[in-house]
Amino acid sequence: MLKYSKQTRLLLAVDCIIFGFDGELLKILLIKRGFQPEKGNWSLMGGFVQNDESLDQAANRILKQLTGLEGVYLEQLYTYGDPNRDPLERTVSVAYFALIDIHKYETQISADYHAEWFQLKRVPKLIFDQQEMVEQARKRIRYKAAMHPILFELLPTKFTIPQLQILYESVFNTTIDKRNFSKRVLATGLLIKLADKDKAGSKRGAYYYQLNMQNYYAKFQAFMNFIPNPDAL
Amino acid sequence: MLKYSKQTRLLLAVDCIIFGFDGELLKILLIKRGFQPEKGNWSLMGGFVQNDESLDQAANRILKQLTGLEGVYLEQLYTYGDPNRDPLERTVSVAYFALIDIHKYETQISADYHAEWFQLKRVPKLIFDQQEMVEQARKRIRYKAAMHPILFELLPTKFTIPQLQILYESVFNTTIDKRNFSKRVLATGLLIKLADKDKAGSKRGAYYYQLNMQNYYAKFQAFMNFIPNPDAL
DNA sequence: ACTTTAATTGTTATTACAACACTACAAATC
DNA sequence: GATTTGTAGTGTTGTAATAACAATTAAAGT
């Protein structure tokens, strides 16, 4: 099976930056590494690419392993290949980022990994070059979310506009005028107003909305303005 | 040196999609593959990642090998890892795209590879999944160029506004009103008007411009509108 | 002097955007 | 049942960005 003789073969890993939103802050899910080197230190969830699986399959497997979730938003971020990034043996890592509904995440499943959610501003020291991966994932999510409706992936099926606004404000670390925000998101034609309200946040209650999946898929690639001055990324 | 025992090791390659602009059309540089499998067929320039080099280094090495160029615009595009993409042996490939000044390209150096420029609409059948790589590179370049000034990398140091417009029209396969285009690009503050003219294209001659490198680096990440309706990508 | 070719420049109508403040609702309290 | 409380929801207007549109200028060639 080794036909390209004389060429170096090396380890290939996949690391996942898993984003969640708890209603207030954007967070990522980290584990305590279970093996050497760096055993016991905070790390992204990752794993080696197996013989018979594609990179996407590996990423999905790893994501499911930790969260129990399948079919969620997962996108290849970047591939990191510095020869010395893993001191034990050269390992090239393909980073993916995932956007999940934090409420669907099952704590039990990931107990083995001692997984914990960290708000982005308080991420602990990570192993290898994973700090850089997280930073790049943060940039990518901002970049993309400024123009494409990816942040809906972080919310439950039913959500309110105030919830959505808090999410955008959290991701972009800014405040947005609620009248303009409301106009902006409703103008996309991506939202369907539901009959019932979320009474948790206020006495009056806020109407639930859900995504119009038709328009969502159709317009996903279009450029939309979700953020007033997206230059300051 | 093999410390993560029992894990699969595999081949890692880098493939380069090399873009050039001849004054009329956007083109990519292809070679005839020199070894089996698919020997003699059209292919992207590529190579295996060596033991001691990073991915960026590998990409730069491969680019230089074919074009003789160094220090040009080179960006990681995507990593392709389908288990069967190379029928001979599993090889994961990290694709990069390069934007070069086609006039600096030395034909002699790449004679060994039987390299040829192909306009994007007439790319021949390529090996493995390289068709997909080219298509994704085309999309990425459009996406990025709609908002960031990357296309200048395809032009010589001195260029005229009509030349620039033809480039944009070629990349986006559209026509742009020249008055509005001129205003748009000059409004970026990225251009410095020079004293001399290019008399090749017309009797009157068009003023040369060059990049204001200060502003170029400073504003590179900002969102600018180079294209009227960028939605139709 | 006239023709030819492409470069250069300006105005206007339309649209998108940002700034800004009050009213509506429903639950809880008095 | 009237009042308080806390957030949801909505409209207007000035300003800036954009798109649509045509005439003039420069220089070479005839």
Side-chain angles (χ1 to χ4, degrees):
Chain A
M1 187 58 180
L2 303 187
K3 301 296 180 60
Y4 294 109
S5 49
K6 297 179 197 160
Q7 294 298 339
T8 309
R9 284 153 187 84
L10 40 75
L11 288 165
L12 191 66
V14 164
D15 287 310
C16 289
I17 300 106
I18 303 168
F19 288 96
F21 177 64
D22 65 0
E24 281 199 67
L25 291 165
L26 189 64
K27 297 186 168 181
I28 64 171
L29 188 58
L30 300 174
I31 63 167
K32 284 200 166 169
R33 188 171 227 238
F35 53 93
Q36 292 297 348
E38 300 272 0
K39 181 171 178 174
N41 293 331
W42 290 111
S43 156
L44 296 171
M45 182 69 183
F48 291 107
V49 175
Q50 300 300 306
N51 229 319
D52 55 347
E53 68 182 356
S54 71
L55 302 178
D56 283 3
Q57 284 166 351
N60 276 291
R61 170 176 59 77
I62 287 159
L63 182 68
K64 184 178 179 187
Q65 213 173 327
L66 180 62
T67 64
L69 299 176
E70 284 181 283
V72 302
Y73 188 91
L74 194 59
E75 179 179 331
Q76 188 183 306
L77 175 66
Y78 199 77
T79 300
Y80 297 80
D82 188 276
N84 304 309
R85 52 178 297 282
D86 185 327
L88 194 59
E89 180 184 345
R90 178 163 195 188
T91 306
V92 171
S93 175
V94 184
Y96 279 75
F97 72 92
L99 305 179
I100 72 171
D101 175 0
I102 205 167
H103 303 104
K104 287 188 186 152
Y105 160 77
E106 302 282 343
T107 315
Q108 291 78 1
I109 297 178
S110 65
D112 295 344
Y113 298 99
H114 306 285
E116 276 182 37
W117 289 98
F118 288 86
Q119 61 179 96
L120 263 181
K121 289 160 197 162
R122 305 221 176 129
V123 170
K125 190 171 179 336
L126 296 174
I127 67 169
F128 307 162
D129 52 2
Q130 294 189 354
Q131 210 90 34
E132 191 189 337
M133 294 183 185
V134 171
E135 182 54 24
Q136 244 183 277
R138 194 192 61 85
K139 279 186 189 157
R140 172 78 65 89
I141 205 179
R142 275 194 177 192
Y143 188 95
K144 195 151 187 178
M147 289 173 296
H148 304 283
I150 57 171
L151 296 187
F152 295 99
E153 305 285 348
L154 291 163
L155 294 173
T157 314
K158 288 165 59 175
F159 54 87
T160 68
I161 293 192
Q163 282 169 7
L164 185 65
Q165 180 167 353
I166 291 168
L167 171 56
Y168 272 89
E169 291 181 337
S170 173
V171 168
F172 290 95
N173 192 32
T174 183
T175 57
I176 308 173
D177 181 275
K178 65 179 176 177
R179 290 159 292 189
N180 292 337
F181 181 80
S182 177
K183 263 178 289 183
R184 218 178 273 275
V185 296
L186 292 174
T188 63
L190 258 44
L191 299 190
I192 299 172
K193 190 175 191 171
L194 301 180
D196 54 335
K197 290 180 167 185
D198 167 35
K199 298 272 178 79
S202 74
K203 328 232 158 165
R204 180 179 180 177
Y207 280 105
Y208 279 118
Y209 286 80
Q210 68 177 37
L211 273 179
N212 178 332
M213 295 314 279
Q214 302 273 320
N215 294 5
Y216 182 64
Y217 293 125
K219 295 188 180 178
F220 191 87
Q221 291 304 333
F223 290 155
M224 295 177 278
N225 289 335
F226 290 103
I227 293 298
N229 290 311
D231 277 5
L233 291 179
Chain B
M1 187 57 179
L2 303 188
K3 301 297 181 56
Y4 294 108
S5 49
K6 297 180 199 160
Q7 294 298 339
T8 309
R9 283 153 188 85
L10 40 75
L11 288 166
L12 192 66
V14 163
D15 287 310
C16 289
I17 300 107
I18 302 168
F19 288 96
F21 177 64
D22 65 359
E24 281 200 65
L25 291 164
L26 190 64
K27 298 188 166 180
I28 64 171
L29 188 60
L30 299 175
I31 63 168
K32 285 201 166 170
R33 188 170 227 240
F35 53 93
Q36 292 295 349
E38 301 271 1
K39 181 172 178 174
N41 293 331
W42 289 111
S43 157
L44 297 172
M45 181 70 184
F48 292 107
V49 175
Q50 301 301 306
N51 229 319
D52 55 347
E53 68 181 357
S54 71
L55 303 178
D56 283 2
Q57 284 166 352
N60 276 291
R61 169 175 59 79
I62 286 159
L63 183 68
K64 184 177 179 187
Q65 212 172 329
L66 180 61
T67 65
L69 298 176
E70 284 182 283
V72 301
Y73 189 91
L74 193 59
E75 179 179 331
Q76 189 183 304
L77 176 67
Y78 199 76
T79 300
Y80 298 81
D82 189 276
N84 304 310
R85 51 178 299 282
D86 185 328
L88 193 60
E89 180 183 347
R90 178 162 196 187
T91 306
V92 170
S93 175
V94 183
Y96 279 75
F97 72 93
L99 306 178
I100 71 171
D101 175 359
I102 205 168
H103 302 106
K104 287 189 186 150
Y105 159 76
E106 302 282 343
T107 315
Q108 291 78 1
I109 297 178
S110 65
D112 295 345
Y113 297 99
H114 306 285
E116 277 182 35
W117 289 97
F118 288 86
Q119 61 180 94
L120 263 181
K121 289 159 196 162
R122 304 220 178 130
V123 170
K125 191 172 179 334
L126 296 174
I127 67 169
F128 307 161
D129 52 2
Q130 294 189 354
Q131 209 92 34
E132 191 189 338
M133 294 183 185
V134 171
E135 181 55 24
Q136 243 183 279
R138 194 191 62 85
K139 280 185 189 158
R140 173 76 67 88
I141 206 178
R142 275 194 177 192
Y143 188 95
K144 196 150 186 178
M147 290 174 297
H148 304 284
I150 57 171
L151 296 188
F152 294 99
E153 305 285 347
L154 292 163
L155 293 173
T157 314
K158 287 165 59 176
F159 53 87
T160 68
I161 292 192
Q163 281 169 7
L164 185 65
Q165 179 167 354
I166 291 169
L167 171 56
Y168 272 90
E169 290 181 338
S170 173
V171 169
F172 290 95
N173 192 32
T174 183
T175 56
I176 308 173
D177 181 275
K178 62 182 174 178
R179 291 158 289 191
N180 292 337
F181 181 80
S182 176
K183 263 178 289 184
R184 219 178 271 275
V185 296
L186 291 174
T188 62
L190 258 44
L191 299 190
I192 300 173
K193 190 175 192 171
L194 302 181
D196 52 335
K197 289 181 167 186
D198 169 34
K199 298 271 177 82
S202 74
K203 327 232 159 164
R204 180 178 179 178
Y207 280 106
Y208 279 118
Y209 286 80
Q210 70 177 35
L211 273 179
N212 178 333
M213 295 314 280
Q214 302 275 319
N215 294 5
Y216 183 64
Y217 293 125
K219 294 188 180 177
F220 191 87
Q221 291 304 332
F223 291 154
M224 295 177 276
N225 289 336
F226 290 103
I227 293 298
N229 290 311
D231 278 4
L233 293 178

